[in-house]
């Protein structure tokens, strides 16, 4: 397996996508809540944030693509809410929901539920976030994010854009299938 890191093409830092990464992370955590308790929430949040950041790096690998996303917008959480039933009781006044990226949520769900994909994606698209909780979770990490890491629970979301993720990884040299 040949895996070359995706290179930045400009001077703008990749963190320009932090509002999208934050909103998508927040959506996943609200749609698939971690176990109760502050520590469980923080452990799950670290795993989800790493998965979303890697997905963002794969999906928008250049500064130009990241900039275009910021100009055109993400599409929001509407379809994801509908698929998960989260649209039954919408909460008004949540502008962050407009910054949720459906593809990033789908790819992050796939990374959370498939260890091979997570390791491959991390090798191909390194991010500044600590990815150890995503790629090598311990028992506390797994317990905290049990629903987020359960393939059947996440199937509706992870399957949305899985073919595109596998093509992206294959194009970067991952042949682990």
């Amino acid at each position: 397996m040949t895996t070359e890191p995706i290179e930045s093409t400009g001077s703008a830092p990749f963190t320009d996508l932090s509002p999208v990464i934050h909103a998508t992370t927040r959506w996943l955590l609200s749609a698939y809540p971690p176990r109760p308790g502050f520590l469980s929430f923080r452990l799950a949040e670290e795993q989800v944030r790493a998965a979303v950041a890697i997905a963002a790096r794969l999906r928008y690998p250049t500064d130009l693509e990241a900039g275009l996303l910021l100009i055109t917008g993400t599409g929001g959480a509407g379809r994801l809410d509908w698929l998960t039933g989260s649209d039954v009781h919408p909460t008004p006044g949540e502008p962050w929901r407009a910054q949720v990226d459906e593809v990033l949520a789908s790819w992050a769900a796939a990374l959370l539920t498939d260890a091979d994909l997570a390791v491959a994606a991390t090798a191909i698209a390194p991010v500044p976030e600590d990815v150890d909780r995503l790629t090598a979770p311990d028992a506390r990490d797994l317990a905290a994010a049990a629903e987020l890491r359960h393939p059947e629970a996440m199937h509706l979301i992870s399957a949305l854009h899985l073919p595109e993720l596998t093509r992206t990884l294959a194009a970067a040299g991952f042949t682990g299938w």
Side-chain angles (χ1 to χ4, degrees), residues 6-56:
I6 296 172
E7 298 292 327
S8 175
T9 60
S11 60
F14 186 69
T15 54
D16 287 347
L17 291 181
S18 59
V20 175
I21 292 169
H22 175 76
T24 305
T25 298
R26 186 172 175 182
W27 184 86
L28 282 163
L29 288 167
S30 64
Y32 299 93
R35 290 179 62 185
F38 179 76
L39 179 59
S40 289
F41 180 83
R42 296 301 294 173
L43 292 173
E45 182 181 40
E46 284 184 35
Q47 296 170 67
V48 174
R49 185 174 307 283
V52 174
I54 292 165

Side-chain angles (χ1 to χ4, degrees), residues 6 41 52 55 76 81 113 115 122 124 135 138 147:
I6 296 172
F41 180 83
V52 174
D81 287 341
T113 59
T122 301
I124 293 166
T135 59
D138 64 20
E147 189 174 6

Side-chain angles (χ1 to χ4, degrees), residues 58-173:
L58 286 168
R59 175 80 170 148
Y60 308 106
T62 67
D63 294 331
L64 176 62
E65 290 165 311
L68 288 173
L69 172 69
L70 295 175
I71 291 169
T72 62
T74 62
R79 181 171 148 182
L80 294 170
D81 287 341
W82 178 78
L83 285 170
T84 61
S86 301
D87 63 340
V88 177
H89 303 289
T91 306
E94 293 184 315
W96 64 268
R97 298 173 65 72
Q99 294 185 324
V100 173
D101 186 304
E102 177 182 303
V103 175
L104 297 188
S106 176
W107 288 13
L111 298 177
L112 284 161
T113 59
D114 187 319
D116 292 336
L117 283 180
V119 170
T122 301
I124 293 166
V127 295
E129 283 79 2
D130 180 8
V131 297
D132 289 343
R133 293 197 189 285
L134 173 65
T135 59
D138 64 20
R140 287 185 320 167
D141 296 324
L142 293 172
E147 189 174 6
L148 287 156
R149 287 190 166 271
H150 195 284
E152 290 177 21
M154 298 293 284
H155 179 73
L156 280 175
I157 302 304
S158 64
L160 283 174
H161 299 281
L162 186 58
E164 187 179 354
L165 173 59
T166 56
R167 282 192 303 272
T168 300
L169 292 174

